[in-house]
Amino acid sequence: MLYEEAEKTLYLECYSGISGDMTVGALLDLGADQRILEEQLRSLPVVGFEIEISRVKKSGLDACDFRVALDREHENHDHDNEYLYGHVHSHGEEHGHVHEHTHTHGEAPHTHEHRGLLEIEAIIRDSQITQRAKSIALDIFRVLAEAEAKAHGTTLEEVHFHEVGAVDSIVDIVAVAICLDNLNITEVIVPELYEGRGTVRCQHGVIPVPVPAVVNIVQQHGISLHMTNTEAELVTPTGAAIVAALRTSQQLPDRYKIRRTGIGAGKRDYGRASILRGMLIEPETKESDYIYKLESNIDDCTGEALGYVLEQLFEAGARDVHYSPVYMKKNRPAYQLNVICSEEMLTKMEEIIFRETTTIGIRRMKMERTVLKREICRIKTSLGEAKVKVCEIEGCVRAYPEYESVVEICRKKGLTYQETWGQICREASDRLMQEGKSHE
């Protein structure tokens, strides 16, 4: 099928909070390949752990439980919280474990590792996981490192904290990255995080919930918290870092179809179903919708600065960014910056423009647009795998190779852009014909 490798949108429903192991469980339940996860985790240059994947019951609901079992030298008891709070006893939950898999990674050393960010990055880079999974894992760890450094009043280079250095946290975060890559998830929607209240006891005393690292993460990344009356910590620093690093939107589309649902199990019971539910959704494309245009005339900013802000806007989620040469008052040559974005990205786009340019004003326009039904797909061609945008119009289908895929193949094969683009187009069209789809 042409569409079997289509990029996917994940919606995380965090009504019971979020942690690293809950996220892995939800992704496995959504269909991430357990064999690939096991193989790639085995390539980590880390010892002293095994993983256990099982089915459990949470408030009567069937869920996937992902557990990192540590040897005696690395044991944390309740690994997603223990790094900060000391030993925490579970309140109990009906598990009914039937272990599907267990594998061991060598013998543990006789000391606990307290690694810093540089050591973690080296471990990830030296593994055999995919490049995209490495990038995802590194992004999550950097968010976590920044939050911990701020919480402990030290620098990013100097912070050595048990959570990032612990084997179980390395495995949790890398497992999340592997599963996301395996499912080909490119969009992640998280509207808000449900958090508990009260205090928890850590190795240094009693601290409030949300814990400092979580507060730093949600503050830095603009994540909404929904405070509940549950006397417990529901959002772990690892869970918050996962959301901060992966989230591409906080707003669900008005209309969407649920293609698949997965439930990951938490380890504790605080009077509510300790689960994280993930859904693979497909937004319904409307014939017309609305988009926003931001516009600003700039006559006193360098070309280097303007080039940098364009990159920043695209990385933050802008649909399109371009400059047009204009003449302003007193015949000053200048550039008009134009940014196209969705409504939920307006504040972020304006923050970047004000921060990175010399402008003191931005014009905002709401614009109606008409769009074709389209989908980004991965197809196998004689030149290698390529991304292709497939659009439908009046019963016909058009295939447009994505620029980055064409360039990557050109560099690997030593071909010209035109011949590579044409070859991918022809083979994509042939696939469409084989599947009985009309094309132009």
Side-chain angles (χ1 to χ4, degrees), residues 14 17-20 23 80 140 143-144 147 163 190 193 195 210-219 221 223 225 233-247:
C14 304
I18 184 172
S19 63
T23 308
D80 211 21
I140 296 171
V143 170
L144 194 54
E163 165 69 347
V190 186
L193 301 181
E195 176 61 296
V211 298
V214 170
V215 170
N216 292 339
I217 291 171
V218 299
Q219 175 185 343
H221 298 274
I223 300 171
L225 284 181
E233 180 217 22
L234 303 180
V235 178
T236 69
T238 299
I242 288 169
V243 172
L246 302 180
R247 189 180 68 164

Side-chain angles (χ1 to χ4, degrees), residues 57 148 193 233 304 340 349 393 414:
K57 296 292 184 182
E148 292 289 355
L193 301 181
E233 180 217 22
E304 291 88 349
I340 305 298
M349 296 294 110
I393 177 171

Side-chain angles (χ1 to χ4, degrees), residues 172-217:
D172 273 352
I173 290 175
V174 172
V176 168
I178 293 169
C179 290
L180 281 164
D181 179 57
N182 178 247
L183 289 170
N184 203 27
I185 291 171
T186 57
E187 303 291 327
V188 179
I189 301 173
V190 186
E192 59 186 347
L193 301 181
Y194 276 54
E195 176 61 296
R197 57 186 297 181
T199 60
V200 292
R201 180 173 295 278
C202 71
Q203 295 172 351
H204 307 291
V206 176
I207 59 175
V209 174
V211 298
V214 170
V215 170
N216 292 339
I217 291 171

Side-chain angles (χ1 to χ4, degrees), residues 13-228:
E13 189 181 71
C14 304
Y15 292 153
S16 295
I18 184 172
S19 63
D21 51 357
M22 292 168 74
T23 308
V24 181
L27 294 172
L28 285 168
D29 209 27
L30 281 168
D33 192 313
Q34 180 178 330
R35 179 184 58 81
I36 290 176
L37 175 63
E38 294 165 359
E39 289 176 354
Q40 295 196 20
L41 285 179
R42 201 173 291 124
S43 75
L44 283 173
V46 174
V47 297
F49 77 94
E50 59 185 24
I51 66 169
E52 301 170 355
I53 300 170
S54 61
R55 307 302 303 184
V56 299
K57 296 292 184 182
K58 291 290 180 179
S59 298
L61 300 177
D62 181 60
C64 178
D65 181 66
F66 176 81
R67 184 181 298 270
V68 181
L70 303 175
D71 62 18
R72 183 170 297 178
E73 294 296 327
H74 295 80
E75 182 58 56
N76 266 348
H77 305 287
D78 189 5
H79 68 272
D80 211 21
N81 285 333
E82 179 69 11
Y83 82 100
L84 187 60
Y85 314 132
H87 180 61
V88 180
H89 291 284
S90 171
H91 292 278
E93 180 68 59
E94 66 275 22
H95 288 288
H97 282 241
V98 179
H99 293 298
E100 297 176 356
H101 178 78
T102 301
H103 64 268
T104 306
H105 292 243
E107 296 182 359
H110 296 289
T111 58
H112 290 285
E113 294 90 346
H114 289 252
R115 302 179 177 92
L117 183 60
L118 292 179
E119 289 87 351
I120 299 299
E121 290 178 338
I123 287 172
I124 294 171
R125 292 195 178 100
D126 290 343
S127 71
Q128 298 301 310
I129 68 178
T130 67
Q131 288 301 315
R132 180 168 180 259
K134 287 181 181 180
S135 177
I136 293 170
L138 289 171
D139 286 346
I140 296 171
F141 268 112
R142 288 185 188 117
V143 170
L144 194 54
E146 290 171 356
E148 292 289 355
K150 183 176 180 180
H152 297 294
T154 186
T155 66
L156 193 61
E157 292 75 20
E158 294 175 345
V159 65
H160 282 71
F161 43 103
H162 185 56
E163 165 69 347
V164 165
V167 170
D168 39 32
S169 296
I170 296 173
V171 176
D172 273 352
I173 290 175
V174 172
V176 168
I178 293 169
C179 290
L180 281 164
D181 179 57
N182 178 247
L183 289 170
N184 203 27
I185 291 171
T186 57
E187 303 291 327
V188 179
I189 301 173
V190 186
E192 59 186 347
L193 301 181
Y194 276 54
E195 176 61 296
R197 57 186 297 181
T199 60
V200 292
R201 180 173 295 278
C202 71
Q203 295 172 351
H204 307 291
V206 176
I207 59 175
V209 174
V211 298
V214 170
V215 170
N216 292 339
I217 291 171
V218 299
Q219 175 185 343
Q220 177 67 29
H221 298 274
I223 300 171
S224 298
L225 284 181
H226 182 109
M227 305 306 293
T228 71

Side-chain angles (χ1 to χ4, degrees), residues 296-364:
S296 182
N297 292 349
I298 305 171
D299 66 354
D300 56 350
C301 202
T302 67
E304 291 88 349
L306 293 176
Y308 179 73
V309 72
L310 182 143
E311 294 176 0
Q312 293 292 300
L313 290 165
F314 272 124
E315 290 177 6
R319 302 287 183 86
D320 194 16
V321 184
H322 70 272
Y323 294 104
S324 301
V326 295
Y327 283 93
M328 295 174 60
K329 60 184 178 182
K330 301 181 182 179
N331 291 322
R332 293 175 182 169
Y335 289 96
Q336 183 179 97
L337 169 62
N338 292 275
V339 181
I340 305 298
C341 67
S342 58
E343 184 174 9
E344 61 266 21
M345 297 301 296
L346 282 171
T347 301
K348 182 65 174 178
M349 296 294 110
E350 290 181 344
E351 287 176 354
I352 294 173
I353 295 170
F354 281 127
R355 183 179 70 242
E356 301 291 350
T357 75
T358 55
T359 190
I360 59 174
I362 301 170
R363 296 179 292 277
R364 177 190 295 185

